Amino acid sequence: MTALDLSSPVAVVGTGTMGQGIAQVALVAGHPVRLYDAAPGLARKAADAIGSRLDRLVEKERLTAEERDAARARLTPVDDLSGLAGCTLVVEAVVERLDVKQELFRALEDVVADDCLLATNTSSLSVTAIGGALRVPGRFVGLHFFNPAPLLPLVEVVSGFATDFGAATRAYETARAWGKTPVACADTPGFIVNRVARPFYAEAFAVYEAQGADPATVDAVLRESGGFRMGAFELTDLIGQDVNESVTHSVWQAFFQDVRFRPSLAQRRLVESGRLGHKTGHGWYDHREGAERPEPHTAEPAEPPAYVVAEGGLGPAAELLDLIREAGIEVREAEEDEEDEGTRLALPSGGQLVLADGQLSAEFADVVYFDLALDYRKATRIALSHAGHTSSETVAQATGLFQALGKKVSVIGDVPGMIVARTVARIIDLAVEAVAQGVATEEDVDTAMRLGVNYPLGPFEWSRRLGRGWAGALLDEMHEVDPCGRYAPSLALYRYACATDQREDTP
């Protein structure tokens, strides 16, 4: 199957932001495009708005005047569904209600030919359920664009239970011909991005609800240590708290209230109070004119230790040893009988500095945990956590050590897995499970998470960097501390951790 021919008319039903964006993508790619909206006059207004955006593309020298004029000539608003007859692809972008979408597509089947591709841009409803109302469900597929559609490259091409392989392939190739990066996935709650991304928000909210850190500090750690473009609190303020919570609730319900997808009570209270983010002027942050942005917690300067003792190779944090040496701090090696594969530094105070492993500082006599970083050399902030009984000397030496490496230090509460580590571990777990269930390939999951939500690495890229067993080991420890089921690693993750290129061991 190949992409639709450029002479083939494409229709977009629904002329809101997404509908206009999808229409613009198809139009610029070279198709004749027809716009329809059930509300009288909206299709013509949408056509005018698209024309204005084409003008701006000419001003930015992304289109020539001739290309703009040709595109405008191919754009036709229609006042009735019958005006979509003869189209080879119809993309729906109407309200997120199953009954509305089903009724629309049943009506479309009376207008278009049986070989016309029908596609929904739904982000939260079941493609299978929408297509289940159709006479010819095999030609029905999900084409989930991301907002703004003309700018963001990712398109999730979703096959429902009844979708024909040929229809999905043609939709995939068409999206690619439009200059997008398509990823193929099966119809699962949240598809790829909205399923795998849930822990990014959920774990930030969980740390906040446990009084581990305030929103500004969590966001700063996710950005400056984890390498994420935005923190969870600022991102949900941008998305809209009501929109983000609605997706979370939809995925949770679709997975039969699986505790791993449980919504946040703190976010529910925010929505109930009308603090929805930028669009209302207040969310987790105050976005009103003149409001001051809260600063993340940053520790006061402290003296670094004269030396550290490396007990093990520090695992994913191994590059810290070079940074410590470069800062002029002596790195001593542990006695041979003490060496292991641990991730610890012994401090002159007698305490230990340990990479987040899912346990609590409260479980040990004198331990400070430090969080995972995408790149310890480039990270500008590191989070530390400790228990109430941890010695102040150990905390000060741990703080001074990272400050000597040029990092800002945020000291947070004693929460298992800290911030970045628990977030990345849970993202990896959901991604591995999705692949094991046939939702998508590892490559497509990584592509989707990098392009759809701007993650610095895809889940499998993280896993290759950290080691196959890292996420499962951390989640095992978190589950031991908090056995609610939320952190129990999936069976798929266990199998993934056990897998190697060649198994030499036999039962």
Side-chain angles (χ1 to χ4, degrees), residues 175-499:
R176 184 158 63 178
W178 291 357
K180 296 303 180 182
T181 303
V183 292
C185 65
D187 185 21
T188 184
F191 309 143
I192 299 173
V193 173
N194 280 329
R195 172 177 176 164
V196 177
R198 294 337 310 152
F200 180 74
Y201 313 107
E203 295 313 308
F205 299 159
V207 170
Y208 169 77
E209 290 173 338
Q211 301 293 294
D214 60 278
T217 300
V218 173
D219 281 353
V221 172
L222 286 169
R223 289 194 314 269
E224 299 173 41
S225 182
F228 292 94
R229 185 78 57 89
M230 298 179 73
F233 294 93
E234 57 191 342
L235 180 55
T236 53
D237 266 3
L238 181 63
I239 295 170
Q241 298 302 330
D242 53 340
V243 174
N244 181 259
E245 190 207 30
S246 175
V247 173
T248 298
H249 195 271
S250 174
V251 173
W252 175 61
Q253 290 283 18
F255 276 112
F256 306 104
Q257 301 186 355
D258 186 330
V259 67
R260 295 176 301 163
F261 299 98
R262 184 178 59 205
S264 161
L265 181 58
Q267 187 179 43
R268 175 91 290 264
R269 293 291 179 257
L270 206 64
V271 172
E272 289 173 339
S273 70
R275 295 188 170 189
L276 306 182
H278 285 273
K279 60 187 176 184
T280 61
H282 208 304
W284 295 110
Y285 299 104
D286 189 343
H287 301 284
R288 294 170 294 187
E289 186 176 352
E292 292 187 10
R293 180 70 175 261
E295 293 293 324
H297 170 77
T298 302
E300 294 295 325
E303 287 294 319
Y307 67 88
V308 296
V309 180
E311 300 179 352
L314 285 191
E319 63 185 321
L320 277 178
L321 296 177
D322 287 338
L323 298 180
I324 293 170
R325 293 187 183 99
E326 292 167 15
I329 298 171
E330 181 185 0
V331 177
R332 300 177 181 176
E333 299 296 330
E335 295 293 332
E336 186 173 349
D337 60 356
E338 295 177 8
E339 289 189 21
D340 57 26
E341 297 301 318
T343 51
R344 301 185 298 275
L345 292 173
L347 300 170
S349 65
Q352 291 184 328
L353 185 58
V354 182
L355 175 63
D357 59 8
Q359 299 182 86
L360 294 168
S361 294
E363 300 177 59
F364 305 98
D366 195 16
V367 164
V368 171
Y369 276 108
F370 66 96
D371 207 352
L372 181 68
L374 173 67
D375 184 326
Y376 283 99
R377 186 173 292 275
K378 294 179 180 179
T380 57
R381 183 180 299 271
I382 294 292
L384 303 179
S385 67
H386 64 87
H389 63 252
T390 306
S391 76
S392 58
E393 185 180 8
T394 295
V395 175
Q397 289 180 1
T399 300
L401 175 65
F402 281 104
Q403 289 172 339
L405 306 186
K407 318 299 183 188
K408 295 177 181 178
V409 174
S410 291
V411 181
I412 69 171
D414 188 17
V415 291
M418 302 193 68
I419 297 171
V420 179
R422 71 195 286 168
T423 300
V424 170
R426 289 210 58 223
I427 288 171
I428 290 172
D429 187 21
L430 293 188
V432 169
E433 184 181 57
V435 170
Q437 293 175 350
V439 173
T441 65
E442 292 185 10
E443 182 181 2
D444 276 356
V445 170
D446 278 352
T447 298
M449 302 314 292
R450 282 188 283 100
L451 298 184
V453 278
N454 288 312
Y455 283 5
L457 295 175
F460 292 94
E461 291 172 316
W462 269 111
S463 184
R464 286 190 290 272
R465 177 179 292 199
L466 298 169
R468 277 180 175 263
W470 177 85
L474 185 138
L475 291 174
D476 263 334
E477 295 290 355
M478 289 191 68
H479 180 58
E480 184 74 21
V481 172
D482 182 7
C484 65
R486 179 188 181 105
Y487 301 106
S490 66
L491 177 59
L493 186 63
Y494 178 75
R495 286 175 171 153
Y496 174 81
C498 292

